[in-house]
Amino acid sequence: MIRKIFIAVVGCWLLGVVTASAQVRWNAQYQEYVDKWSGVAVEQMERYHIPASITLAQGLLESGAGRSDLARQGNNHFGIKCHNGWTGPTVYFDDDQRNDCFRAYGSARDSYEDHSLFLVKGRRYASLFKLKLTDYKGWARGLKAAGYATNPRYADHLIEIIEVYKLYEYDNGKRIIDNGQQTTGGNRQGAEMRDVFMFNDRLYVIARRGETFRSLGEELDISYRKLAKYNERDKHDTLQEGEIVWLEKKARKAPKEYRNRPHVVQPGESMYSISQYYGIRLKRLYKLNDLTPDYVIRVGDVLKLR
């Protein structure tokens, strides 16, 4: 039985207010957006080295906390237009010009993934990846300097959002759960707890430095042998900081939204890391792709996920 944990991703829709003439003020609807998408932002941070605080702040600002027409009609939470050889679905809205072309996605999660790839692949953003994950101010100012947005106060808005909602705590691992309520800073009551996320209808956590299945099992009151089995690993392994650790048996395939969305292998990935990322059993991932365990994947390989 898992004790003293709370699922940190909550399904909610919301509306926020950010204006060019006033500082950001806390409101419940913005917080709901953070709660809904924080898990995805952390996943993207671990995968692409982009601060979760920056991803969340940009999502809030660019999408009106998920309520803009672009977000609702195109699942586009980051205002990314159709340039750079985009061949996917599109939607059109007036922006810098009338009837500007924007990228459209099958789901908001796709928008988060494409936002990460847009930054990773964009040469003008390359210098940002030399910054520390905790340097959200450097990232915010760097995005503005690189031309991500034309608003002269764009960096200021991002920084204000991050500080009002304490999004920086997602970057440094200090987000806590206290008595079933997500809290940040201030006077903390009770023991500090880690975030527990959900994807593919399974719970998972992000490993901390030096952790083992035994230490994690003791913290969460789960058999460390079961944890190792769920993650298809040896029970004596030391976990790597930032890796996904599933708290339940992984699924046989990815969620339905991945039916027509294969995974394109990126540098440094393995079949195991991909199976962990999507919460799919390793043997099943090989079977889905008619591969044998001795096959060595290559960058650019396309893998079915269901």
Side-chain angles (χ1 to χ4, degrees):
M1 178 179 179
I2 303 171
R3 56 186 172 119
K4 296 183 180 177
I5 62 175
F6 182 75
I7 301 173
V9 182
V10 182
C12 300
W13 289 108
L14 50 120
L15 175 66
V17 288
V18 176
T19 68
S21 60
Q23 288 189 333
V24 177
R25 294 184 180 181
W26 187 93
N27 71 71
Q29 290 120 345
Y30 256 54
Q31 186 63 60
E32 288 171 2
Y33 184 94
V34 172
D35 293 342
K36 180 179 177 68
W37 295 109
S38 58
V40 176
V42 170
E43 287 176 1
Q44 296 298 305
M45 177 176 68
E46 300 297 342
R47 188 175 177 83
Y48 296 107
H49 203 75
I50 299 167
S53 62
I54 287 292
T55 298
L56 287 169
Q58 285 195 282
L60 282 163
L61 186 57
E62 295 286 349
S63 74
R67 285 294 191 146
S68 69
D69 289 340
L70 181 58
R72 289 186 290 183
Q73 295 180 36
N75 285 316
N76 187 331
H77 282 228
F78 298 93
I80 300 179
K81 295 184 179 180
C82 300
H83 42 64
N84 293 339
W86 176 253
T87 58
T90 59
V91 290
Y92 295 85
F93 293 97
D94 292 346
D95 190 53
D96 295 327
Q97 301 177 18
R98 293 197 61 185
N99 215 30
D100 264 340
C101 180
F102 289 88
R103 301 182 184 189
Y105 307 95
S107 68
R109 177 180 282 272
D110 287 349
S111 177
Y112 272 75
E113 177 78 9
D114 190 52
H115 168 260
S116 296
L117 293 174
F118 180 76
L119 296 183
V120 168
K121 295 179 179 180
R123 289 186 179 181
R124 57 181 172 168
Y125 303 116
S127 62
L128 296 178
F129 292 88
K130 298 177 183 179
L131 301 174
K132 294 181 179 180
L133 282 175
T134 52
D135 186 8
Y136 63 88
K137 292 182 179 179
W139 271 83
R141 291 165 182 153
L143 285 168
K144 174 63 182 73
Y148 191 98
T150 57
N151 186 330
R153 292 202 66 239
Y154 188 75
D156 295 332
H157 283 322
L158 293 181
I159 292 169
E160 289 167 1
I161 291 171
I162 289 169
E163 292 181 346
V164 168
Y165 295 92
K166 295 182 171 60
L167 303 182
Y168 48 78
E169 296 200 345
Y170 287 110
D171 301 336
N172 59 25
K174 292 183 179 178
R175 203 72 174 185
I176 67 166
I177 302 299
D178 178 19
N179 296 326
Q181 297 295 320
Q182 188 163 325
T183 61
T184 56
N187 294 322
R188 299 174 176 179
Q189 301 294 324
E192 182 169 319
M193 303 302 295
R194 72 174 70 228
D195 282 348
V196 179
F197 305 102
M198 176 176 282
F199 179 71
N200 208 3
D201 293 325
R202 268 74 174 171
L203 297 173
Y204 72 92
V205 297
I206 303 299
R208 297 169 179 161
R209 182 178 301 175
E211 283 190 318
T212 63
F213 287 115
R214 184 183 290 274
S215 65
L216 187 57
E218 289 176 354
E219 178 184 337
L220 299 178
D221 197 20
I222 304 174
S223 164
Y224 77 95
R225 292 183 176 86
K226 286 185 178 180
L227 278 179
K229 187 175 181 180
Y230 296 154
N231 291 275
E232 301 170 290
R233 297 272 292 278
D234 185 276
K235 61 181 180 292
H236 299 299
D237 283 355
T238 296
L239 300 167
Q240 297 298 311
E241 182 179 12
E243 71 174 294
I244 291 173
V245 182
W246 295 95
L247 307 183
E248 303 174 86
K249 189 174 184 178
K250 291 187 290 183
R252 292 172 57 82
K253 53 190 175 182
K256 292 181 180 178
E257 58 262 33
Y258 289 89
R259 186 182 307 277
N260 298 312
R261 290 173 49 203
H263 177 87
V264 180
V265 177
Q266 302 296 312
E269 291 186 322
S270 65
M271 288 292 281
Y272 178 73
S273 69
I274 294 167
S275 75
Q276 286 293 98
Y277 184 73
Y278 291 102
I280 305 172
R281 298 171 207 170
L282 181 57
K283 288 184 179 179
R284 181 62 181 170
L285 184 60
Y286 277 110
K287 187 174 182 180
L288 285 169
N289 291 277
D290 297 319
L291 299 175
T292 59
D294 60 350
Y295 179 78
V296 179
I297 59 173
R298 295 168 293 181
V299 173
D301 279 355
V302 178
L303 300 177
K304 296 178 182 178
L305 299 174
R306 59 176 293 119

